[in-house]
C-alpha cells in the first residue's frame, strides 16, 4: 500500500511536472544492521511513479564502498541527490562541477558517472540525507529533488550573495527528529 | 545553499537514527545546524540571519 495519499500523490505529480531535468536519488543501503533501510526504500520507491524525471539507484554501502566514499557517505540509510547536467554534455566546462575535474574527464574517468544515453552528465548536487526521510524530512527531500530538478532557488538575493562568497569547502549538518 | 555554492555540501541528518553523530555534534535540540564543526545554530532563524550566522566565518568578504 502506498505511504502517500492519492491527493498528495496528485500534488506531487503537479510539482514534479515543473522539473526541467532528470534527478537521480542514489540510495545507500546495507542488508544487515540497518533498521530503517527497508522503510527508506519504501519511501523512495514512492517517487519514480510520480515523475518520469526521477530515478532511484540502489547502492550497497558495503559491497560498493568506493562509490560511498566518492560521496563521503559512511552509513546507511543515506541518499545523495544527483541531477543530469545537460550543459556539460554540450561542451561547457562544468560551471557547477565544483568537485574538480572538467566534465569530459568526469565522464571518462568515473564509470559510475556515465554520460547519459541521451545527453548530459550526472552531477552531484551535494545535498544528502542521512536516515529515513520520513515525516517532515519527506517534504525536505521533495524540495531537494525540485531544486536539483531545476526549480529556481527561493533564497533572497542577499542570502545568495552571501552564500556565493563562501571561499572554501564547508560541510553543513542539519539535525532533525521525526515528527 | 549547496545549490548556490559549489563549496557547500549539506547533510540532513535524522538525529535519533544516528546517536553517535548527535553526540559528536552535541545535539541537545532540533533543528540544530553545525557548520564544519565550528559554528552551531540551535533552532530556526529567519533566512538571512541564518545564512549570515552559518557562513560568516567561511567568507573572505561580504
Amino acid at each position: 500500500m502506498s505511504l502517500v495519499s492519492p491527493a498528495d500523490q496528485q500534488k506531487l505529480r503537479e510539482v514534479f511536472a515543473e522539473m526541467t531535468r532528470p534527478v537521480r536519488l542514489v540510495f545507500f543501503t546495507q542488508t544487515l544492521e540497518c533498521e530503517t533501510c527497508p522503510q527508506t526504500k519504501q519511501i523512495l520507491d514512492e517517487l519514480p511513479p510520480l515523475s518520469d524525471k526521477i530515478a532511484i539507484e540502489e547502492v550497497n554501502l558495503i559491497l560498493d564502498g568506493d562509490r560511498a566514499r566518492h560521496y563521503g557517505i559512511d552509513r546507511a540509510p543515506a541518499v545523495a541527490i544527483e541531477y543530469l547536467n545537460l550543459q556539460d554534455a554540450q561542451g561547457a566546462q562544468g560551471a557547477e562541477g565544483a568537485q574538480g575535474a572538467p566534465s569530459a574527464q568526469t565522464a571518462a574517468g568515473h564509470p559510475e558517472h556515465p554520460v547519459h544515453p541521451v545527453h548530459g552528465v550526472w552531477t552531484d548536487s551535494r545535498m544528502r540525507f542521512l536516515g529515513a526521510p520520513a515525516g517532515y524530512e519527506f517534504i525536505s527531500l521533495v524540495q531537494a529533488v525540485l531544486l536539483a530538478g531545476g526549480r529556481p532557488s527561493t533564497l533572497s538575493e542577499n542570502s545568495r550573495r552571501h552564500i556565493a562568497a563562501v571561499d572554501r569547502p564547508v560541510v553543513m549538518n542539519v539535525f532533525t527528529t521525526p515528527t | 545553499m549547496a545549490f548556490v555554492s559549489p563549496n557547500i555540501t549539506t547533510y540532513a541528518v535524522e538525529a535519533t537514527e544516528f546517536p553517535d553523530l548527535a553526540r559528536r555534534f552535541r545535539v541537545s535540540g532540533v533543528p540544530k545546524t553545525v557548520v564544519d564543526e565550528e559554528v552551531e545554530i540551535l533552532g530556526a532563524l529567519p533566512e538571512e540571519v541564518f545564512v549570515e550566522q552559518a557562513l560568516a566565518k567561511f567568507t573572505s568578504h561580504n
Side-chain angles (χ1 to χ4, degrees), chain A residues 3-159:
Chain A
L3 299 168
V4 183
S5 72
D8 286 343
Q9 284 182 14
Q10 189 48 39
K11 273 186 225 144
L12 287 171
R13 259 191 211 99
E14 285 164 20
V15 291
F16 289 147
E18 319 241 321
M19 289 167 64
T20 54
R21 57 191 181 194
V23 167
R24 179 162 78 179
L25 303 176
V26 186
F27 167 39
F28 295 89
T29 184
Q30 63 188 52
T31 320
L32 299 172
E33 292 179 6
C34 182
E35 210 178 307
T36 58
C37 281
Q39 185 198 1
T40 301
K41 180 176 166 51
Q42 206 183 347
I43 293 166
L44 295 178
D45 282 346
E46 295 279 341
L47 299 176
L50 304 177
S51 167
D52 60 4
K53 287 202 167 61
I54 302 177
I56 311 293
E57 184 191 10
E58 215 170 299
V59 175
N60 187 297
L61 183 72
I62 309 300
L63 300 179
D64 204 348
D66 284 349
R67 187 82 192 277
R69 274 186 291 279
H70 177 80
Y71 295 93
I73 300 283
D74 63 356
R75 54 190 69 220
V79 180
I81 301 178
E82 295 185 329
Y83 60 93
L84 194 65
N85 192 333
L86 306 166
Q87 274 149 21
D88 272 8
Q90 290 156 10
Q93 289 288 307
E96 293 174 83
Q99 308 285 327
S103 54
Q105 195 183 329
T106 305
H110 295 278
E112 69 271 24
H113 283 262
V115 173
H116 190 265
V118 186
H119 47 7
V121 176
W122 286 108
T123 306
D124 184 3
S125 74
R126 299 177 310 284
M127 294 186 281
R128 322 243 191 276
F129 288 76
L130 301 185
Y136 192 76
E137 279 304 275
F138 181 70
I139 297 165
S140 301
L141 181 75
V142 168
Q143 297 296 334
V145 168
L146 292 172
L147 259 180
R151 194 201 63 187
S153 164
T154 56
L155 294 168
S156 75
E157 186 86 359
N158 246 341
S159 294

Side-chain angles (χ1 to χ4, degrees), chain A residues 21 36 72 75 98 126 128 130-132 137 156 158-159 162 166-178, chain B residues 2-3 5-15 17 20 31-36 47-48 52 57-58 60 62:
Chain A
R21 57 191 181 194
T36 58
R75 54 190 69 220
R126 299 177 310 284
R128 322 243 191 276
L130 301 185
E137 279 304 275
S156 75
N158 246 341
S159 294
H162 210 101
V166 172
D167 60 2
R168 64 198 116 132
V170 166
V171 174
M172 299 185 71
N173 286 292
V174 182
F175 289 89
T176 59
T177 49
Chain B
F3 226 78
S5 169
N7 276 323
I8 298 178
T9 300
T10 62
Y11 288 86
V13 187
E14 212 289 280
E17 282 184 54
D20 62 318
K32 173 154 181 178
T33 304
V34 183
V35 191
D36 256 23
E47 176 198 303
E48 291 191 1
E52 161 77 34
K57 271 194 165 181
F58 307 97
S60 50
N62 285 314

